[in-house]
Amino acid sequence: MWITGTGALSCAGRNPGELWESLLAEKSGLIEGLGRVADLSPDAPADLALSMALETARQAMGQAGWSHLNEDDGIIIATTTGQILMWDQALLHFFKDQADPESFRRAFAHQPLGQLLNTLTESLGSRTPHRWLLTSACTASTQALIMGALWIRQKKVKRCLVGSVEVLCDLTVQGFRSLQLLSNETARPFDRDRKGINLSEGAAFVCLEGQNPGPRALAEVRGWGLTTDAFSMTSPEAEGRGSYRAMKQALETAKLAPNEIDWIHAHGTGSMHNDAAEGQAVRALFGAKSPPLTSTKAIHGHLLAASGLLETVIGVEALKRQTVLGTANVQNIDETTGANVLVKSEPRPLRHIMKNTLGFGGANAALVLSRVGDRA
Amino acid sequence: MSTAIFGAHVVSGPPAPEWLAKPEYRRATINMVLGAQLLEPLLRDLRAAHPEVLSEDIGLVLQSQTGELEATVEFLRGWSQMGIARPLLFQSSLHNATAGFLAIQYAIKGPVISTSPSFFSEEQALEMAQVLLDEKQCRFCLVVSLDAWPAIKGLEGGSGFSASYASAVVLAREPGGLGRRLNSIEMKPEARPVFTEPQWSHRPSSRNALFNLASALLSSETQKVETQKEEGRSVITWSGA
């Protein structure tokens, strides 16, 4: 499977190039621990989720040279918030007897997360019936990319537009705060002085094709793994066994040995439980000589469902530029995690990289991305 | 490629009182209890028939239109009216909360995916499961469709739930179980207007393909069944082995 187009919109940049420059310069887009996307086009739809998704989808499709989605193309979107900004305030007004039932009904029609998928597909001018919407928390967009690859392999669709979008809203901001996971300071993944995670909004899209697209190819999706902890609703299994199995599956489907992975882009949220479990999973799979591992969430924050795909776009840029990124804002590496944390960005030959993701509900997913032309 | 159907189960209406009364479900949402009521007999049968099956061999695709609406509404109500954000309500409000809950309850360690079809195509979960099986991501895949709509005062009056339902089928890579096969899921483009209103009072079972499939498997001896969803959005077919 080949990635032929990417799009990214976050507090750290309006496209993959801007995001990459922010990452290299360690210029965080977070303000007081939250990452907001500002300055959308004046003619963008009022619906922030739809607006961000449309802009980012068009970036990816433009780069891939896709003018439209055909009826035998697929589209997969991942989100946990969807169009919540279109209905959450209406619900609150309704509770306070400040909204009439009809206006509330109209607003509340946006509540099913899948509604975003239909609106986006139609806004892209497509009538494809091949539409999936995944909601598996922070793992959703990595799952979406994997499912897109499998969908194409099974010849159910010819190409697939895979995207993800998240908005900041009361539900997630106050919800994560209630779990005491949020930090008002910029996150410090894998740092022993970590304070918590930073939520952010944004979108990421990739165009996925099954037949070798020649010079249009940006990277190859070569391996994948999907597993579940069955342990806790909100914490990963303490030793990271589920994450270990996902990364192991990804190596097996890629037909690669652990020592052939040149870089790991970690989930690295900066929560104590995530860092510990992910570090142990990496150590168990790759051993003492594990490849360097990086979290970039101090720059763009945690985009929840969109994080895996945004970080996949970063991985594509890293392969293209043959450069690994450092873990911004880390000062005192937490050695107890066992991870080989990379602090500073540097040029480095990259053939194969691992993107790892963990999520609430115990969902794990891992990807192996390869440089174009590196299939043995 | 066709897929074997191992089992099926439906719950029409709210969870049975004895399920709601179970102490272990005291903090569970209605969706979670519905899901547990569905999966317990199916997994008991599956593990009895295949004692060698590992937790890692079992996958789950759970589709829900509105997800954890009950917990979401209560969380937002508490936050807006009292300034209290309750962590349990938040973690239960996530759309994949029931999928995660069921994975924990029944030790499901293969791929677990949650999805919201939004009245577009209830077949998408079946197709995802077929893809997972055909790609050997799991040996058995539970496909669950459920929704519970809380009654919201002012819209329809009353309390409790205005509608709820749940259905599940177990798909398998190998023959056995019910001795039937899911042959094809054909998705057809169609210019149906996008859903524009929440359908508070309608019962989705009449138009939910997975519910219809599960019901037919449980009650029909028909060797070949085809169903065309209303308005021609998609077609699902299944047949005897």
Side-chain angles (χ1 to χ4, degrees):
Chain A
M1 297 301 123
W2 305 88
I3 293 174
T4 56
T6 61
L9 175 62
S10 71
C11 64
R14 301 191 60 83
N15 54 55
E18 282 188 21
L19 174 59
W20 182 261
E21 292 306 316
S22 296
L23 291 162
L24 267 187
E26 297 191 8
K27 183 181 163 193
S28 178
L30 299 161
I31 298 173
E32 295 180 349
L34 295 175
R36 294 191 185 277
V37 171
D39 303 327
L40 286 169
S41 160
D43 56 355
D47 176 352
L48 180 62
L50 177 63
S51 178
M52 293 195 296
L54 270 174
E55 181 171 329
T56 316
R58 285 171 178 149
Q59 288 176 17
M61 291 174 71
Q63 184 176 30
W66 295 9
S67 59
H68 59 281
L69 288 178
N70 298 316
E71 288 184 358
D72 54 4
D73 290 333
I75 177 169
I76 309 182
I77 301 298
T79 188
T80 67
T81 51
Q83 296 172 298
I84 190 170
L85 297 179
M86 300 294 286
W87 62 265
D88 63 348
Q89 295 306 311
L91 179 72
L92 303 184
H93 284 130
F94 188 73
F95 286 152
K96 294 174 183 171
D97 294 328
Q98 293 170 347
D100 66 89
E102 265 323 295
S103 63
F104 171 63
R105 279 175 188 270
R106 280 195 299 276
F108 210 58
H110 299 281
Q111 188 274 336
L113 292 174
Q115 187 64 8
L116 173 65
L117 172 66
N118 294 336
T119 310
L120 176 66
T121 306
E122 282 150 29
S123 298
L124 290 169
S126 176
R127 292 178 63 238
T128 177
H130 305 288
R131 310 176 189 188
W132 287 351
L133 185 126
L134 304 190
T135 64
S136 307
C138 307
T139 307
S141 64
T142 311
Q143 281 189 344
L145 186 57
I146 293 169
M147 292 305 290
L150 301 182
W151 218 6
I152 294 171
R153 275 168 57 92
Q154 288 296 314
K155 300 189 179 355
K156 308 266 188 189
V157 296
K158 278 194 174 167
R159 310 178 299 180
C160 191
L161 179 66
V162 183
S164 188
V165 62
E166 289 287 15
V167 295
L168 285 174
C169 58
D170 282 349
L171 180 66
T172 50
V173 173
Q174 300 309 330
F176 275 96
R177 203 179 297 287
S178 75
L179 293 172
Q180 300 184 320
L181 284 172
L182 286 196
S183 170
N184 292 330
E185 301 171 15
T186 301
R188 293 182 173 185
F190 300 105
D191 190 304
R192 65 176 182 234
D193 298 321
R194 66 176 76 75
K195 297 277 173 54
I197 73 172
N198 303 138
L199 293 186
S200 57
E201 61 192 7
F205 275 74
V206 302
C207 295
L208 205 54
E209 300 186 33
Q211 294 191 333
N212 189 334
R216 287 191 301 115
L218 303 175
E220 182 184 3
V221 179
R222 181 160 169 165
W224 43 79
L226 294 168
T227 67
T228 307
D229 286 353
F231 172 74
S232 161
M233 297 291 278
T234 54
S235 292
E237 195 275 330
E239 294 178 20
R241 291 191 185 97
S243 183
Y244 165 87
R245 286 191 293 115
M247 289 191 284
K248 187 165 182 284
Q249 280 180 16
L251 285 178
E252 288 167 357
T253 51
K255 297 183 171 57
L256 293 173
N259 64 7
E260 291 180 276
I261 296 296
D262 300 312
W263 184 46
I264 301 170
H265 194 298
H267 191 52
T269 60
S271 81
M272 191 173 66
H273 291 304
N274 175 95
D275 290 359
E278 189 171 24
Q280 291 204 53
V282 168
R283 182 73 174 230
L285 183 60
F286 292 94
K289 292 185 177 176
S290 81
L293 170 148
T294 295
S295 167
T296 55
K297 284 190 168 67
I299 304 300
H300 49 69
H302 188 357
L303 280 81
L304 300 178
S307 66
L309 206 52
L310 185 91
E311 293 160 16
T312 296
V313 171
I314 292 170
V316 172
E317 290 292 315
L319 286 167
K320 188 169 79 178
R321 297 164 194 262
Q322 294 290 289
T323 297
V324 290
L325 296 164
T327 302
N329 212 32
V330 69
Q331 291 171 355
N332 301 298
I333 294 173
D334 182 355
E335 304 289 350
T336 65
T337 66
N340 177 19
V341 180
L342 184 69
V343 177
K344 288 292 174 192
S345 303
E346 60 187 36
R348 181 185 286 247
L350 293 176
R351 295 178 64 205
H352 311 290
I353 66 176
M354 175 82 74
K355 172 72 210 109
N356 192 42
T357 315
L358 298 81
F360 276 14
N364 307 293
L367 284 171
V368 173
L369 300 174
S370 298
R371 184 174 67 180
V372 174
D374 266 316
R375 178 161 285 277
Chain B
M1 189 180 293
S2 67
T3 308
I5 299 175
F6 179 83
H9 192 25
V10 298
V11 178
S12 184
E18 62 269 29
W19 281 82
L20 287 169
K22 290 189 177 200
E24 61 267 38
Y25 299 143
R26 186 170 51 88
R27 302 167 82 182
T29 65
I30 293 294
N31 277 354
M32 292 172 186
V33 183
L34 280 170
Q37 190 177 344
L38 268 181
L39 292 196
E40 185 159 298
L42 288 171
L43 282 165
R44 188 176 56 233
D45 290 350
L46 175 60
R47 285 178 165 135
H50 295 276
E52 79 289 357
V53 164
L54 304 173
S55 293
E56 290 81 357
D57 295 331
I58 302 172
L60 167 66
V61 179
L62 188 147
Q63 70 175 17
S64 178
Q65 312 278 10
T66 52
E68 303 296 337
L69 189 53
E70 168 199 15
T72 304
V73 166
E74 286 309 309
F75 178 90
L76 289 172
R77 190 199 302 268
W79 171 245
S80 68
Q81 296 184 343
M82 293 174 283
I84 296 171
R86 295 169 61 190
L88 179 63
L89 281 177
F90 172 62
Q91 74 181 50
S92 297
S93 77
L94 301 177
H95 198 279
N96 75 328
T98 291
F101 174 85
L102 295 173
I104 294 167
Q105 290 291 312
Y106 299 111
I108 299 166
K109 295 187 176 180
V112 171
I113 291 174
S114 61
T115 175
S116 169
S118 187
F119 304 98
F120 176 77
S121 167
E122 290 83 0
E123 288 81 358
Q124 62 173 225
L126 286 166
E127 192 178 45
M128 282 183 207
Q130 275 198 318
V131 167
L132 289 171
L133 290 165
D134 291 345
E135 287 286 334
K136 298 185 169 49
Q137 297 291 311
C138 49
R139 274 180 69 191
F140 297 91
C141 194
L142 305 154
V143 192
V144 174
S145 177
L146 52 78
D147 268 292
W149 282 264
I152 294 183
K153 188 180 174 189
L155 277 184
E156 55 192 337
S159 59
F161 284 79
S162 63
S164 57
Y165 79 102
S167 54
V169 295
V170 185
L171 301 184
R173 288 214 302 264
E174 54 239 74
L178 294 180
R180 293 167 185 265
R181 302 192 73 83
L182 178 66
N183 286 337
S184 64
I185 302 167
E186 183 183 349
M187 311 295 281
K188 291 184 175 178
E190 193 271 332
R192 174 180 155 194
V194 175
F195 161 68
T196 55
E197 291 288 328
Q199 305 191 7
W200 292 99
S201 58
H202 101 143
R203 288 190 174 273
S205 57
S206 64
R207 57 192 295 278
N208 182 298
L210 186 61
F211 191 97
N212 293 344
L213 170 60
S215 302
L217 286 166
L218 290 171
S219 64
S220 170
E221 296 301 317
T222 311
Q223 283 297 298
K224 182 174 174 62
V225 181
E226 294 186 8
T227 179
Q228 175 123 8
K229 279 184 55 186
E230 61 184 44
E231 300 167 35
R233 178 63 90 178
S234 56
V235 174
I236 181 169
T237 68
W238 64 95
S239 68

